[in-house]
Amino acid sequence: MRYIEPHAHMVSRTMDDYKALAMAGCRAICEPAFWAGFDRSSVDGFYDYFRQLTEYEPKRAARFQIAHYSWICINPKEAEDPEFAREVIQIIPEFLKKENVLGVGEIGLNKNSKNEVAIFEEQVQLALDHNQLILIHTPHLEDKYKGTQLIIDMLRQHSEIDPNRVLIDHVEEHTVKQVVEAGFWAGITLYPESKCTPARAVDMLDLYGSTDRLWMNSACDWGVSDPLSLPKAVLELRKRGFDEQTIDRFVYQNPLKFLRQSGMEILPEG
């Protein structure tokens, strides 16, 4: 089996995890910028973090023959101080020029607050100004449906946005339809305790798997998470009778198709 892990926070993981991913068939990892479990206090803290994503993690991944790509942004959880967020946004263009950066992400909403909306809009414009792909985080639990629709409505205000270049992540059973039918890509995040289990993900693929605009990821951040949840979802797919060609489309060809819109020569043998 071969697969791409399109959303993994590897700064939170060990070398053992990289080894396990490689042994499971992972060919490439994409790592969005995210919240580190606490709010950073300076722009320099973000600058060092962006260097870790673009310089250090690719070297760790390369030790196991895994390609590593990243996304750059300030995440919604740290957007409640707009002036500070805008200082961080000013250093992002320097990193968008890096040869292993896919685009702007994961931007989005967490509590659907006024400040989150303002910083989300500014980072969407940043992506458009620099012709970047966009990766979007959606809120948790009761805020998810409202936040997802709010995000879609804001994106629709930008006539220059190509929905095919935007992925809205962390969809669940009650939001996947609104994202796919709006023309955007959708990401299903697999967690042992929250978001979506492999079994629930395969239920959604049963309903919406005919679209090419759908992928699965593990996120595997510093919380309760599993870097091998994607291979476990493949086991569930096989148990339900999906053929190997369809599985390859879900876990390799679909993410490759979206990511290559960045203009990078990602996994040229694929």
Side-chain angles (χ1 to χ4, degrees):
M1 184 188 82
R2 61 180 184 175
Y3 74 98
I4 294 172
E5 173 51 83
H7 185 145
H9 298 295
M10 298 306 293
V11 298
S12 306
R13 314 305 303 198
T14 67
M15 297 299 275
D16 286 338
D17 292 322
Y18 271 113
K19 183 179 180 181
L21 285 160
M23 293 177 68
C26 183
R27 301 285 184 85
I29 293 171
C30 306
E31 180 156 5
F34 83 129
W35 187 56
F38 66 98
D39 291 348
R40 281 157 280 219
S41 61
S42 70
V43 176
D44 287 343
F46 275 92
Y47 191 90
D48 289 342
Y49 174 54
F50 295 159
R51 285 192 58 216
Q52 184 180 12
L53 291 180
T54 58
E55 298 175 17
Y56 183 66
E57 287 304 323
K59 293 176 181 174
R60 288 215 300 162
R63 290 183 59 180
F64 299 95
Q65 291 75 53
I66 298 175
H68 183 282
Y69 307 93
S70 56
W71 300 80
I72 302 296
C73 76
I74 180 168
N75 68 87
K77 286 189 175 183
E78 290 175 278
E80 287 298 350
D81 181 345
E83 292 310 311
F84 176 66
R86 289 177 182 122
E87 290 180 26
V88 176
I89 290 172
Q90 287 180 5
I91 68 172
I92 291 176
E94 173 183 339
F95 290 92
L96 297 180
K97 298 174 184 175
K98 300 272 189 179
E99 61 182 11
N100 52 1
V101 172
L102 295 160
V104 176
E106 54 184 309
I107 60 174
L109 302 177
N110 186 54
K111 298 291 186 183
N112 303 331
S113 71
K114 179 181 177 181
N115 288 335
E116 289 177 6
V117 167
I119 297 304
F120 172 78
E121 289 269 32
E122 291 178 31
Q123 292 193 97
V124 168
Q125 190 58 54
L126 176 73
L128 290 172
D129 291 344
H130 292 267
N131 192 31
Q132 297 290 308
L133 298 179
I134 301 174
L135 176 66
I136 297 177
H137 168 95
T138 50
H140 300 269
L141 301 175
E142 69 271 14
D143 296 319
K144 185 175 287 292
Y145 185 87
K146 178 183 177 183
T148 301
Q149 191 58 52
L150 186 56
I151 286 166
I152 291 172
D153 291 343
M154 286 190 284
L155 293 172
R156 282 174 167 163
Q157 298 302 311
H158 295 268
S159 59
E160 65 272 44
I161 283 183
D162 177 358
N164 202 43
R165 289 173 54 82
V166 178
L167 188 135
I168 299 178
D169 215 342
H170 315 322
V171 299
E172 294 184 27
E173 291 87 342
H174 60 306
T175 59
V176 60
K177 183 178 180 181
Q178 68 187 128
V179 171
V180 171
E181 290 190 349
F184 300 99
W185 280 71
I188 302 171
T189 301
L190 306 166
Y191 271 169
E193 296 182 352
S194 61
K195 288 191 173 69
C196 190
T197 63
R200 286 173 55 197
V202 175
D203 288 344
M204 282 191 269
L205 290 172
D206 260 333
L207 293 173
Y208 300 100
S210 60
T211 176
D212 289 339
R213 289 179 285 106
L214 197 59
W215 77 26
M216 295 184 289
N217 61 77
S218 74
C220 63
D221 54 28
W222 44 266
V224 178
S225 55
D226 180 2
L228 293 180
S229 59
L230 225 166
K232 291 174 182 175
V234 169
L235 288 178
E236 182 70 20
L237 284 163
R238 287 175 177 151
K239 191 167 71 175
R240 305 269 191 105
F242 285 82
D243 61 58
E244 293 302 313
Q245 185 176 3
T246 301
I247 293 172
D248 187 69
R249 179 166 62 84
F250 289 152
V251 301
Y252 190 85
Q253 296 293 344
N254 280 4
L256 193 63
K257 181 178 179 181
F258 179 80
L259 297 169
R260 281 183 170 170
Q261 295 183 92
S262 67
M264 281 189 280
E265 193 176 6
I266 295 173
L267 296 176
E269 80 281 9

